[in-house]
Amino acid sequence: MVARLARFDGAHPQTAVKPGCGLAAAELGGAQFLAEDGHLLVGFSGAPNFASRDLNELARARGRVAALAEAYRRWQGNLASHLLGQYAVAIIDHNEQALYLAVDRFVTHPLAYVIEPEGIRFASNLDALNIDRQFALSPQSIFNYVYFHVIPGPETIYRDVTRLLAGESLSFKNGQVTTDRYWQADFIEDQTAPFEELKQDFLAVLRSAVKSASDGQNCGAFLSGGTDSSTISGLLGEVSGAPARTYSIGFESAGYDEMEYARLAAKHFKTDHHEYYVTPTDVADAIPKIAQVYDQPFGNSSAVPTYFCARFAKQDGVDLLLGGDGGDELYGGNERYAKQHVFAHYASIPSFLRSGLLEPALALPGIDRIMPLRKAKSYVQ
């Protein structure tokens, strides 16, 4: 299992074994990611931070492992609600033979687990779990993959293996598993603050997030020229005080190549910009490698340019690339939201008028020959 934790990046694993339990962490860098603290085995990946000032000071003085151990003693199964940043955390109390797991609010660092007669096994990738027996594939997950192009959590491609959801923690003791959603995104739709005030608040939060993610890192940014990557590239240059190193992938196909948009953003934000055009041979060679890394089916074609951007940046000496997600969804950049706006108006019409008058009228013969009514019919359908 430990070997498969570091199967692609050559990280040096740290391990701890006690009667009836064991823990391993494999992370790049020289920091301590796992240690025994009293009767606790504590391990993590990523960079957990603390809402409590004294615990952040303890983390700086003695390391994050010591701070996590102290936080667990204070809050036990409520620990994750006091954590910030991106992380996966595992804590074993080997006196009590009890386990606590938690992932961050957007499950940046995944964890999956399987319940067995001997207890529970967990890992950050499915290959590490599937080391000594072949799990049965889940027919439902195969269907979900074909339909959605991903396998929605908490399911995995394997029937008996479950993933933690974003903002979720797990406790295991005496053969019993309990999970808790300690955080969920909350959208406030009746906001009454002035637009300009909200705008400045949003930019302050986004600027703080980019600064936090890039702080102390040898950092660059993906740049496609879209809402998310352009915004982050601009802010990265702003918070770092130097031109952001940005990386774009192009395709020799007019319908798919977005390089001109990336160049516009790079010019506007004066980034240190790098480009690479992917060939069909590149893609054919990369697909098996990408499939191995994901370790279960994943059908989003953006995985291909993401892989090449990351490889290109790594060759250039960059250790971390920032990307963004959700800008189009939050701010209506996708064309389908314009249609959804029309649908919302239609849904506000009383149902008896819709089903008793409008829909029968739009079903009349010859309606398709009248352009505005033909359009209305298609929306209703």
Side-chain angles (χ1 to χ4, degrees), residues 61-354:
R62 293 180 48 206
R64 284 190 169 99
V65 168
L68 284 168
E70 175 59 28
Y72 182 74
R73 291 188 180 99
R74 289 185 192 179
W75 296 300
Q76 298 288 311
N78 198 33
L79 165 61
S81 61
H82 298 272
L83 294 180
L84 303 171
Q86 42 89 20
Y87 60 83
V89 168
I91 299 175
I92 297 174
D93 184 332
H94 55 79
N95 280 359
E96 299 290 331
Q97 290 289 292
L99 168 70
Y100 178 79
L101 303 176
V103 294
D104 62 55
R105 297 176 180 189
F106 288 94
V107 71
T108 315
H109 292 258
L111 284 175
Y113 63 94
V114 57
I115 306 299
E116 298 175 317
E118 301 84 2
I120 183 171
R121 281 195 294 147
F122 62 93
S124 54
N125 66 67
L126 300 183
D127 280 353
L129 283 179
N130 204 16
I131 188 72
D132 57 356
R133 66 184 180 92
Q134 290 298 310
F135 293 119
L137 295 176
S138 164
Q140 181 64 53
S141 293
I142 294 172
F143 174 87
N144 289 345
Y145 169 64
V146 173
Y147 190 84
F148 296 115
H149 296 180
V150 297
I151 299 168
E155 286 77 24
T156 70
I157 191 63
Y158 300 118
R159 183 177 291 161
D160 298 324
V161 181
T162 307
R163 285 180 288 171
L164 288 184
L165 296 170
E168 189 171 58
S169 64
L170 174 150
S171 296
F172 177 83
K173 188 176 181 180
N174 298 326
Q176 299 298 313
V177 168
T178 57
T179 58
D180 176 51
R181 292 295 295 275
Y182 67 85
W183 183 87
Q184 293 191 65
D186 183 18
F187 294 94
I188 304 170
E189 298 188 8
D190 57 350
Q191 180 63 258
T192 57
F195 174 82
E196 195 60 33
E197 181 182 322
L198 292 173
K199 173 183 172 181
Q200 294 307 318
D201 286 349
F202 170 71
L203 288 173
V205 169
L206 195 56
R207 190 175 291 110
S208 173
V210 172
K211 181 174 176 58
S212 174
S214 61
D215 195 28
Q217 303 275 357
N218 184 10
C219 190
F222 294 98
L223 181 56
S224 68
T227 303
D228 303 308
S229 65
S230 299
T231 303
I232 287 173
S233 297
L235 287 173
L236 180 59
E238 182 182 319
V239 303
S240 67
R245 285 186 286 180
T246 54
Y247 294 84
S248 298
I249 294 300
F251 296 91
E252 296 287 0
S253 176
Y256 291 90
D257 187 42
E258 298 179 331
M259 192 68 83
E260 285 303 317
Y261 296 107
R263 288 170 183 160
L264 284 170
K267 182 178 179 181
H268 178 76
F269 292 118
K270 299 179 175 60
T271 73
D272 178 10
H273 189 54
H274 307 263
E275 300 176 356
Y276 180 76
Y277 271 82
V278 174
T279 67
T281 301
D282 286 335
V283 175
D285 290 343
I287 290 296
K289 299 174 184 176
I290 294 171
Q292 277 185 296
V293 171
Y294 278 105
D295 80 16
Q296 72 171 356
F298 178 78
N300 190 330
S301 60
S302 65
V304 175
T306 300
Y307 168 78
F308 283 104
C309 258
R311 192 177 75 173
F312 186 26
K314 186 68 175 177
Q315 292 169 350
D316 204 31
V318 173
D319 295 322
L320 176 70
L321 281 181
L322 299 184
D325 206 10
D328 289 334
E329 288 74 14
L330 287 170
Y331 299 106
N334 288 334
E335 186 177 325
R336 64 180 177 272
Y337 293 122
K339 288 185 179 180
Q340 189 61 43
H341 189 61
V342 175
F343 296 154
H345 282 303
Y346 184 70
S348 69
I349 299 172
S351 60
F352 71 90
L353 287 178
R354 279 184 280 142

